[in-house]
Amino acid sequence: MKSAETVSRSVTDSPIIVALDYNDRSQALAFVDRIQPASCRLKVGKEMFTLFGPQFVRELHQRGFDVFLDLKFHDIPNTVAKAVAAAAELGVWMVNVHASGGARMMRAAREALLPFGKDAPMLIAVTVLTSMEASDLADLGLTTSPADYAMRLARLTQTCGLDGVVCSAQEAVSFKRELGAGFKLVTPGIRPAGSEAGDQRRIMTPKQALRAGVDYMVIGRPITQAAEPALALCDILASLNGEA
Ligand SMILES: O=c1ccn([C@@H]2O[C@H](COP(=O)(O)O)[C@@H](O)[C@H]2O)c(=O)[nH]1
């Protein structure tokens, strides 16, 4: 069996994954040091990984957080398989690929994780980015709706044996009905009432997303760009617990 870096998984039932999209490591860690691993998991994406690399992920692990490495691998099967195995060696909790990379690519990624056994990260695939709407698909020559195209990619992902998909919370009810409760739904595009949608198009509030049955909601700017990010996280958690 291949070994992952020794990382003890945090024990949290929080559905929140905070997208740590900062360009400043100290600012990111100042926020992280004000929250608890029981409150949320953390997502490291293309910006922070490009700036600060695997060492930054290790620093989050040392602080007890589970990390979703959101690099959305999309390449030939051999390259994606090796990248996913490198993520597993780093000990991340979750890693992802683009479903539009196709079935052979997704199967290669899944097979690359087999040697890690129970230490393998969850492997999920991005369906249709939550920033996309029908007109964006039309630009690509796709005349289907984002929800229908996302469903098509989610079915393919499930057939390939992955653990779940990234989709919009707007798609959660129909995906859970069709793909089953065990197939994980990870949903960015979460916006508390009154917060800016920005570049996101298929959005829902945290409470709506929870009711729709998502497993994990990814929240970035509504927390990280708030005047008090740790307080913004607390407020969202309270709203999910029916306290606000
Ligand atoms: O379809 C997708 C896939 C990934 N993301 C990522 O989630 C966060 C969302 O951040 P916000 O600031 O809450 O919009 C960001 O890191 C994206 O890269 C996504 O938004 N949609």
Side-chain angles (χ1 to χ4, degrees):
M1 181 159 321
K2 278 212 149 201
S3 70
E5 286 183 23
T6 313
V7 176
S8 52
R9 295 260 177 265
S10 82
V11 182
T12 175
D13 56 4
S14 171
I16 297 183
I17 302 175
V18 177
L20 276 188
D21 293 327
Y22 288 94
N23 60 11
D24 180 323
R25 189 181 152 279
S26 309
Q27 207 186 339
L29 291 178
F31 162 62
V32 170
D33 287 338
R34 297 199 57 201
I35 60 172
Q36 299 300 322
S39 311
C40 66
R41 295 181 168 89
L42 299 174
K43 182 176 87 67
V44 174
K46 291 181 163 119
E47 183 181 14
M48 291 211 82
F49 197 77
T50 304
L51 285 167
F52 307 112
Q55 187 50 34
F56 183 67
V57 173
R58 291 188 188 104
E59 289 181 67
L60 300 177
H61 283 158
Q62 280 156 13
R63 287 164 163 80
F65 286 89
D66 287 343
V67 175
F68 169 21
L69 187 63
D70 177 26
L71 297 182
K72 304 184 186 69
F73 297 127
H74 190 180
D75 210 314
I76 61 172
N78 179 60
T79 302
V80 167
K82 297 228 163 98
V84 160
E89 269 157 28
L90 188 54
V92 300
W93 163 75
M94 182 184 273
V95 63
N96 61 358
V97 300
H98 265 289
S100 53
R104 282 190 298 123
M105 189 207 79
M106 285 196 276
R107 287 202 178 98
R110 185 179 57 81
E111 282 159 21
L113 293 180
L114 294 177
F116 294 89
K118 63 174 183 30
D119 292 332
M122 268 200 273
L123 175 65
I124 61 167
V126 178
T127 56
V128 176
L129 292 167
T130 52
S131 56
M132 297 184 89
E133 55 193 342
S135 62
D136 297 304
L137 294 189
D139 289 343
L140 303 177
L142 297 165
T143 50
T144 170
S145 69
D148 286 349
Y149 194 51
M151 176 65 93
R152 185 188 179 100
L153 291 170
R155 281 196 205 102
L156 183 67
T157 302
Q158 190 171 48
T159 307
C160 294
L162 275 61
D163 299 303
V165 287
V166 178
C167 61
S168 163
Q170 293 179 6
E171 286 127 33
V173 170
S174 59
F175 281 25
K176 283 288 180 186
R177 194 187 311 121
E178 177 131 347
L179 304 165
F183 192 65
K184 303 290 183 215
L185 303 182
V186 180
T187 61
I190 301 295
R191 289 291 180 269
S195 61
E196 296 269 330
D199 51 358
Q200 298 286 6
R201 291 294 178 270
R202 302 189 339 275
I203 63 175
M204 265 196 172
T205 67
K207 221 168 177 165
Q208 287 170 332
L210 197 66
R211 280 204 198 109
V214 313
D215 295 282
Y216 303 104
M217 52 185 90
V218 175
I219 314 179
R221 286 163 289 184
I223 294 174
T224 57
Q225 301 297 308
E228 300 235 28
L231 191 61
L233 172 61
C234 267
D235 288 347
I236 294 172
L237 283 165
S239 79
L240 295 179
N241 294 326
E243 295 162 26

